[in-house]
Amino acid sequence: MIWRSFAQLREYIRASPKLSYWTKVAEYTVGGSLLGHVFVNYAYSISPIWGYSMIPTLAASGDSVVISKHFRRGRDVEVGDIVSFLHPVKDGEYAMKRVLGMPGDFVLRDTPGKGEGTMVQVPEGHCWVVGDNLFHSRDSRMFGPLPLALIRGKAVARAWPKPGWIQNGLKAPYEDNDEDEEVEDND
Amino acid sequence: MSFSIRRLVADFPWRLTAIYFPFAGAAVIFANDNILEIQSQTGDSMSPTLAPTFHETGSRDKLAILHYNPFFNLRSEVKRGQIVSFWAPHDPEKLLVKRVIATEGDTVVVDERRDRSVGEWARAVEGEGRVKVPFGHVWVEGDNWRKSKDSNDYGPVSKALLVGRVVAVVWPPTRVGWVEGEPWKGRTKVIPGKEERPAMWLNE
């Protein structure tokens, strides 16, 4: 029968210690990298930051963040989230910026205080991303709205240094935060 | 040796299968992401090249898509005439199949027969009549000019959105064969050009 030949092959490999050792090494390497690929692409990954554009939230070098791939293709992404995306102009490079507008929102096209103060509407299926360091960031102000399909994940936590969750910095104050209101009463 | 289903079931290596099943699944996902994917062509925008009788019979072509991946950077070498699969710029969960009409630096003389009803882009195109494809982008169009939503509607498509190149039709059996992209001579006129990487996008 067909399974018999598989069994015979396994017996043949098991008979030779050298062959069985290298077969095992190959199995663990291939299997591990396959599972690793799935985990990194569909669950979480850790990636180092390089660049000045997200100062002061993330340092220019030396910081690493945890990227949740649940948010790939812009799923559940909200205004204020830091997202990692495939750069729409630079081939094969990734970038990390903060989402300032989702489809339908009106956003300022230029840097505040520069230009004519034109507001543009973010088109369907796109978002508007801007770096926190406005003067050293090349973002949607240059390349326009970013297709949500290019987003590969959201930065949910800082891995190194000072591990901790990254909070959404663009939530309206006191929106769903009772503790802050109590603090105000004390004043 | 006589054939017996009971023997086949009894001899089947169930334990090994249970151990290796997650690895097999991971292998399939890896292959779909980086090597080859089978995808169904929906709609008649690429008729008569792909799914020519979709309008009449609803029959779809199953396409083999060779993925762009980090190991071989073929995305940067996309050429005019190739049929590519890409994420719809207006819908992050939708894959489209269209033909690359022009690459970065080329000037497209927009075909006036094509329906350009959607979007702000269309209006801008109506005014000029020709579009220079910006750096890092391609201009895609469907072969069926009557029924195609393409770059004439949503503008040049970022190369980063390209997923892979259509290499073959694998189903139905009567249509099996390689898909020849180049050389392509369509009705849309293209003035070839070259685009340098703009100074803004140079790395320090």
Side-chain angles (χ1 to χ4, degrees), chain A residues 4-185:
Chain A
R4 283 276 164 79
S5 51
F6 284 114
Q8 278 169 5
L9 186 68
R10 281 176 58 80
E11 285 305 320
Y12 176 73
I13 290 169
R14 209 173 276 170
S16 149
K18 213 169 190 181
L19 198 57
S20 63
Y21 172 75
W22 284 112
T23 313
K24 212 140 229 164
V25 168
E27 270 179 16
Y28 281 121
T29 315
V30 173
S33 46
L34 287 176
L35 289 186
H37 170 267
V38 173
F39 186 81
V40 161
N41 278 277
Y42 295 94
Y44 294 94
S45 72
I46 293 181
S47 81
I49 306 291
W50 193 92
Y52 307 99
S53 64
M54 285 305 283
I55 290 174
T57 315
L58 302 167
S61 71
D63 274 18
S64 291
V65 292
V66 180
I67 296 170
S68 167
K69 299 296 165 70
H70 167 76
F71 299 88
R72 64 184 184 276
R73 266 187 270 305
R75 294 171 189 172
D76 298 341
V77 166
E78 291 173 4
V79 169
D81 291 344
I82 299 172
V83 292
S84 166
F85 56 90
L86 198 57
H87 201 286
V89 180
K90 290 202 258 181
D91 188 31
E93 288 183 34
Y94 288 97
M96 198 173 276
K97 300 278 184 286
R98 198 183 286 281
V99 176
L100 282 199
M102 289 301 282
D105 295 353
F106 283 88
V107 291
L108 186 65
R109 198 188 62 195
D110 305 303
T111 314
K114 285 186 180 175
E116 298 155 6
T118 320
M119 302 292 281
V120 292
Q121 190 173 18
V122 181
E124 192 188 352
H126 290 66
C127 64
W128 194 267
V129 288
V130 176
D132 286 1
N133 190 357
L134 283 173
F135 301 102
H136 291 276
S137 171
R138 295 172 289 180
D139 42 43
S140 275
R141 292 169 293 167
M142 287 84 182
F143 56 67
L146 173 83
L148 285 171
L150 293 181
I151 292 177
R152 66 162 182 167
K154 167 182 152 184
V156 288
R158 182 200 302 273
W160 186 265
K162 293 182 191 165
W165 301 108
I166 294 177
Q167 303 292 345
N168 186 339
L170 291 183
K171 277 255 168 73
Y174 318 131
E175 193 177 78
D176 44 16
N177 200 339
D178 293 330
E179 291 173 12
D180 281 8
E181 275 182 69
E182 283 170 20
V183 170
E184 204 177 45
D185 288 344

Side-chain angles (χ1 to χ4, degrees), chain B residues 62-79:
Chain B
K62 289 249 189 293
L63 311 172
I65 290 157
L66 197 62
H67 264 242
Y68 299 125
N69 60 47
F71 312 112
F72 307 100
N73 194 1
L74 297 175
R75 184 184 275 136
S76 59
E77 288 164 28
V78 63
K79 290 192 184 72

